[in-house]
Amino acid sequence: MGVNMIPFRPAFKLAIEPVATTDEVPFPVTIKFVVPIIAVGAAILLAHYFGGLYGIAIAAVGMLSTLGITLASDTYGPVADNAAGIAEMAEMGAEVRKRAETLDAVGNTTAAIGKGFAIGSAALTALVFMVSYAMVSGLKSVDLLSPTALLGLFIGGAMPFVFASFAMSAVGRAAMKMVEEVRRQFKEIPGLLKGTAKPNYERAVSISTSAAIREMIVPGLLAVVAPVLTGLLLGKVALAGLLAGSIVTGFLLAVTMANAGGAWDNAKKYIEAGHLGGKGSDPHKAAVVGDTVGDPFKDTAGPSLHVLIKLLATITLVLAPLFV
């Protein structure tokens, strides 16, 4: 397991090339993950065949019933990552650090699996919510040739990309504040570079936690306001299109981000283990750039999309009487 897993090897190969090609990783990696997408589609068809809308709802509950193993998969990665960081700070030696990095590489893979379960259950749940919305609003069917339905599809399809862009930008801004703080401490705290003084950890933690809360205000409002405005201005048909579009693109984008982010991270660890020139080589520099993009992919934007899908569906269903 870990960095030698076959689906992630395109990231290693692209890291040999210039930095720009390293950022192409999402597409050769994600193309290998069509099987989970087909599996979710097959589950929807089979559940509907045997139990109708209730069958789809039960299928969603079935995916959620694996919560124990899903949480364990998601938790494994951060625990291993923190263990590697503690080993480095405690100066426990290169061998301990190497073993912890290997465990962290496996954690990236298990985290991708856990996120796949989360987004799969979100897609099934949102589909049930969409049908429930149609029943509450009196929609028997939605004509895809209707201009309002098409407009709603485009708006809904764009929502996950806009939401993800806000999340990615938030990570970039918070990271730059962190860099500025580190530079300030190096200048103002004597002996920090020599290791004779301790940094101000509290300030660094404060920057990340406050940014995490503040930067999510706009994306949160977007998820709440967009369906309300769509329903009031364009009607219930366009709102149904918004839900359908957000489910399709949100599911695909979340799978892409979760797996591509893990590939970028594991490519860096693979090179740091001594392959392709090791640390300091040009492939390592390219992999570091890729991992800088991969971390917000797999840890911020990707996991947030299943929340967006459920939130859009919930708000639409709750406020459905306003649009009838």
Side-chain angles (χ1 to χ4, degrees), residues 92-155:
M92 299 178 69
E95 186 63 26
V96 175
R97 175 70 181 178
K98 182 180 178 181
R99 292 177 181 177
E101 288 286 359
T102 303
L103 292 174
D104 187 28
V106 179
N108 287 331
T109 305
T110 60
I113 295 171
K115 291 163 187 170
F117 271 93
I119 191 62
S121 65
L124 290 174
T125 304
L127 182 61
V128 175
F129 277 25
M130 185 174 70
V131 177
S132 301
Y133 163 75
M135 296 173 64
V136 172
S137 60
L139 284 173
K140 299 297 182 183
S141 62
V142 177
D143 184 8
L144 292 180
L145 298 179
S146 167
T148 54
L150 281 174
L151 180 57
L153 277 172
F154 280 117
I155 295 173

Side-chain angles (χ1 to χ4, degrees), residues 24 38 48-49 60-61 69 93 101 126 146 153 156 206 208 216 237 243 267 273 291:
E24 298 173 6
I38 295 173
H48 187 269
Y49 176 78
V61 173
I69 187 63
E101 288 286 359
S146 167
L153 277 172
S206 175
S208 60
M216 285 298 102
V237 174
L243 275 179
D291 186 40

